Each structure stands twice: as C-alpha cells, then as structure tokens.
Amino acid sequence: MNSAPAGRLVASDLDRTLIYSAAALELTGPDALAPRLLCVEVYQSKPLSYVTETAAGLLARVAAETVFVPTTTRTREQYGRIRLPGPPPAYAVCANGGHILVDGVSDPGWQRTVTARLDGECASLAEVRGRLLATADPAWVLKERVAEELFAYLVVDRALLPEGWVKELTDWAEPRGWSLSLQGRKIYAVPKPLTKSAAVREVARRAGTAETLAAGDSLLDADLLLAADRAWRPAHGELAAAGWSGPRVTALPETGVAAGEEILRRFLAP
C-alpha cells in the first residue's frame, strides 16, 4: 500500500547521503551486530559503495511510491555504475544539474538550456581551469579532472593543502560566477548557474508533482535543500561541519549509514 502522498518528488544526493563507501560507513558497536550491507556500485571490478539491508528495502519503497530522482554531482558515467534497489528511476540529475536523464538518456533540451545559462552568466571553464592549474602545486594535487565539460575538480592531499589556498581561489572565482567547494579530498570549481535545484524544478514541472523532498550532505546540495518543501541533512559532511541549516531543513543527529536509513524513513513519512 502506498503510504506516501500522491505527487511527491524525492530528490536526493547519493554519496554519503544514501550510499556509502567502506570508509564512510561509520559503523559502531560489535562487529557481530553490524548491519548487513548490499553493494550498489562496483568500480574496476571492486565493490565501492554500499547501503544497509534495511536501507535497500526503504529505497525500493521510495522508488515505487514516489517520483524518485537521484540528484548527484557525479558524471553520467560515474552515475551509471550505481545499481540501486527498486525500479530504475525515470529521472536522474547528474553533473550537479548539468544533465537530466530521462529513462537513462540525457535530455537535449535541458542541455541547451544549461549551455545558454553558462555562456551568458559566468566565466568560461577554460579560464577557471587555467587558474586552478596555475595556482595549484603538484606536490599536493593528486589528480585534475574536468566533468562533462561543465566544471573542474582537483583530488588533493589534504594534509599538504596550504592554508588559505581555497579561500584565495574562492575570492578570485566568485566575481566570475563560479564557486569553490572542498569535499573530503576533492576541490570542486562549479559555475554558479549550474545547480541541482534548477534541474529538479524542471523535473518536478515535467512530472507534475506537488511536493519536493530533498536530502544532501555537501555545500553543493545547499541550493537543493533550500528549494525543497522539506529537506534533511546528516550529522556528517560539509553542511554539518559548517553548522548549516535552512528554514525547512532538518539537521539529523545520525551519521554514516544510520543517517542514510533515517533519511529514507523521512522520505516515506506522511
């Protein structure tokens, strides 16, 4: 029986919100009492991301009872590695709002909309990437990547990252229409018009839903949480570290996979 109200859209970040790497599980208590885990992502023939058995059941219900929209900064290729429980979502948002997938295929109309916004409202990816590479030091940069020709990020050694470097680059990027976000070992440079909330609003318009629920743990999720009718964040991640909240955002006390389970329960509550 469907206990969720009709017309409910659920837009959720994935990594460290619904799915967790082995390092992010935050399991507590004796090993014998640890929850059973289901692998939902394999990378280079190795298991990478997990949900608990309880979360898997809740996820299947969310996917069946709502318009469930995985909403991630991952590229389409990275998202394609994930196999969530339940029916495949009809919609997904990838590349921080750069792509709306409809039955697994990127919508060309949304791609044109995004391109027009980026061309008219912010500096080019080439300029920002050039600044990243010119100011970063190979001593602490492990990898440099461009995602979907939309934004750039560095994988860094946090222990060697100079104090003040992120702030200096943020101060340079802000007037050019870009934002910086430090998440774990990754430093993201993302154009401000590229947002999860804009893509989710478009999905809600197409799906005809009346209510949007959301969850996320990073600064790149903040706009999504603020735009939702109700939203939740776990007690881990960038938003928790900053003490961030919003008028319709609930800060949960749980961390790790326990937070993932609780977020799914909130999605299904009346």
Side-chain angles (χ1 to χ4, degrees), residues 207-230:
T209 51
E211 180 186 37
T212 296
L213 308 185
D217 72 294
S218 81
L219 290 174
L220 290 173
D221 297 315
D223 69 286
L224 174 67
L225 305 190
L226 290 173
D229 296 295
R230 287 184 286 158

Side-chain angles (χ1 to χ4, degrees), residues 92-155:
V93 171
C94 293
N96 211 64
H99 290 277
I100 293 175
L101 305 188
V102 183
D103 295 325
V105 179
S106 183
D107 181 77
W110 183 249
Q111 288 183 43
R112 289 191 293 270
T113 297
V114 168
T115 298
R117 287 176 180 171
L118 298 186
D119 288 347
E121 299 178 29
C122 57
S124 69
L125 172 62
E127 180 182 354
V128 175
R129 184 187 180 201
R131 182 74 176 194
L132 273 175
L133 296 178
T135 59
D137 189 332
W140 46 265
V141 173
L142 305 178
K143 296 178 185 177
E144 183 267 336
R145 295 287 186 269
V146 170
E148 303 270 17
E149 297 301 320
L150 292 169
F151 61 91
Y153 64 92
L154 304 176
V155 181

Side-chain angles (χ1 to χ4, degrees), residues 40-52:
V40 293
E41 179 185 15
V42 173
Y43 180 55
Q44 296 181 343
S45 301
K46 297 179 180 178
L48 185 61
S49 299
Y50 304 86
V51 297
T52 66

